[in-house]
Amino acid sequence: MSVTLKQATGPAYTRIYAYGAARGENAVPNEDLIEPINSSDEWIRQRTGIITRARAVPETDAIDLATTAAAEAIERSGVDAADVDLVIVATISNPKQSPSVSAIVADRVGANPAAAYDINAACAGYAYAVAQADALIKSGAARYALVIGTEKLSDIVDPADRSISFLLGDGAGAALIGPSETPGIAPAVWGSDGSKADAVGMNHTLTEFRDGAAPWPTLRQEGPTVFRWAVWEMAKVAREALDVAGIEATDLAAFIPHQANMRIIDEFAKQLKLPETTVIARDIETTGNTSAASIPLASHRLMAEHPELSGGLALQIGFGAGLVFAAQVVVLP
């Protein structure tokens, strides 16, 4: 006699219930960074739109930032922490290779023994994690998911590197995702282009550092290459995400791109022909580029400043080292 395995089933739809955020304790102005790169406040503002960036004190790590953001998302969602059965953390700055940030955070916020794992998709990590949480809840593998992007990039930056050092900040953003009676997260358009892996990423390996063959690994990028790829190729991905969601750019209440560079954000808006009514997230101005944390941090600030956007549609798109990308339309909580 044959035996048929039981299969889990979940809700038809999911949505984001609430956001949480944590930023590095220190606001670091451009003036504090210009000497090592032989630059100026004006040069940084013109090229990036950044005035200050948030950076954490030495005692604070990416796990601490993630815990603070996660706790706020849970509290604002109204979901009991004990009911959170999935924690996904997107990061490239876990202070240790193991254990995972996610397992530690799950325990700290009271979600133990939730399933927990980290992903490394750099600046697209949060959007990747949202796509996974959406799919896992719909499959019945989880009911409530905590998705976190967290980074302490100041630990992996060379102050004298003119390509990226002045861009980076520290912070964490979190979203609590759960079942919904109506669609709240559209399918993701995601992918990668590993042929351009050298365009942005770490300049050395930990093994090389251990063996004395290289200094401490830090982030580097080929600015012009990344800019062209982000503006032209990612605009195509953004349009595809709108098509997959079955909406037009004119339907968007908000646009929340990875906070890589203000010039990229502005060019995105032009490429997508966003109407003046669409609110564009510009968190980079005072937070900096926080990689996997940038979209949820920008979302958190956007909702704090524009509560009237609640229930509206937002297009979020992450892109970065790898070169990895992901975009999806979500309903704002």
Side-chain angles (χ1 to χ4, degrees), residues 65 83 146 246 315:
L65 293 165
D83 291 332
L146 189 59
L315 170 63

Side-chain angles (χ1 to χ4, degrees), residues 18-291:
Y19 293 115
R23 289 175 172 80
E25 297 88 344
N26 296 327
V28 181
N30 294 334
E31 288 85 352
D32 288 4
L33 306 178
I34 58 179
E35 185 175 347
I37 61 172
N38 189 28
S39 186
S40 67
D41 171 60
E42 182 182 12
W43 184 83
I44 293 175
R45 291 193 189 209
Q46 287 180 348
R47 292 182 65 86
T48 70
I50 298 174
I51 299 172
T52 62
R53 73 279 298 138
R55 289 194 173 172
V57 297
E59 297 77 17
T60 298
D61 62 22
I63 304 172
D64 299 323
L65 293 165
T67 301
T68 301
E72 182 188 355
I74 292 172
E75 181 180 2
R76 293 172 66 90
S77 73
V79 175
D80 192 310
D83 291 332
V84 175
D85 48 7
L86 173 63
V87 179
I88 309 174
V89 171
T91 186
I92 61 170
S93 50
N94 184 347
K96 299 180 179 180
Q97 295 293 94
S98 185
S100 68
V101 174
S102 54
I104 297 172
V105 173
D107 180 61
R108 286 186 181 181
V109 300
N112 212 347
Y117 63 95
D118 294 357
I119 64 172
N120 181 343
C123 308
Y126 171 77
Y128 261 62
V130 169
Q132 292 179 38
D134 171 58
L136 288 168
I137 293 171
K138 288 177 180 176
S139 75
R143 182 164 176 79
Y144 295 106
L146 189 59
V147 169
I148 308 165
T150 185
E151 304 288 9
K152 189 181 181 187
L153 299 178
S154 58
D155 284 344
I156 50 175
V157 63
D158 176 0
D161 174 44
R162 194 179 173 87
S163 76
I164 201 171
S165 62
F166 53 89
L167 286 168
L168 306 178
D170 303 332
L176 197 292
I177 298 174
S180 174
E181 294 182 357
T182 56
I185 300 175
V189 175
W190 55 355
S192 65
D193 183 1
S195 68
K196 295 183 177 65
D198 292 336
V200 55
M202 304 301 288
N203 61 344
H204 298 294
T205 67
L206 288 175
T207 303
E208 290 171 335
F209 174 70
R210 179 200 64 191
D211 295 342
W216 177 250
T218 58
L219 279 169
R220 302 294 172 95
Q221 73 170 346
E222 297 175 6
T225 300
V226 174
F227 184 89
R228 288 192 297 270
W229 176 77
V231 168
W232 300 110
E233 297 305 317
M234 292 305 97
K236 298 175 185 176
V237 171
R239 292 191 196 96
E240 188 176 349
L242 293 175
D243 290 341
V244 168
I247 68 169
E248 304 288 340
T250 52
D251 296 318
L252 291 174
F255 177 48
I256 312 174
H258 163 49
Q259 303 291 291
N261 181 308
M262 196 72 81
R263 290 194 302 158
I264 292 176
I265 294 172
D266 290 339
E267 189 59 37
F268 255 143
K270 292 179 183 178
Q271 292 285 327
L272 295 175
K273 298 180 181 179
L274 296 177
E276 292 183 2
T277 54
T278 301
V279 179
I280 301 173
R282 300 183 186 278
D283 189 50
I284 189 172
E285 187 175 54
T286 55
T287 300
N289 179 340
T290 54
S291 189

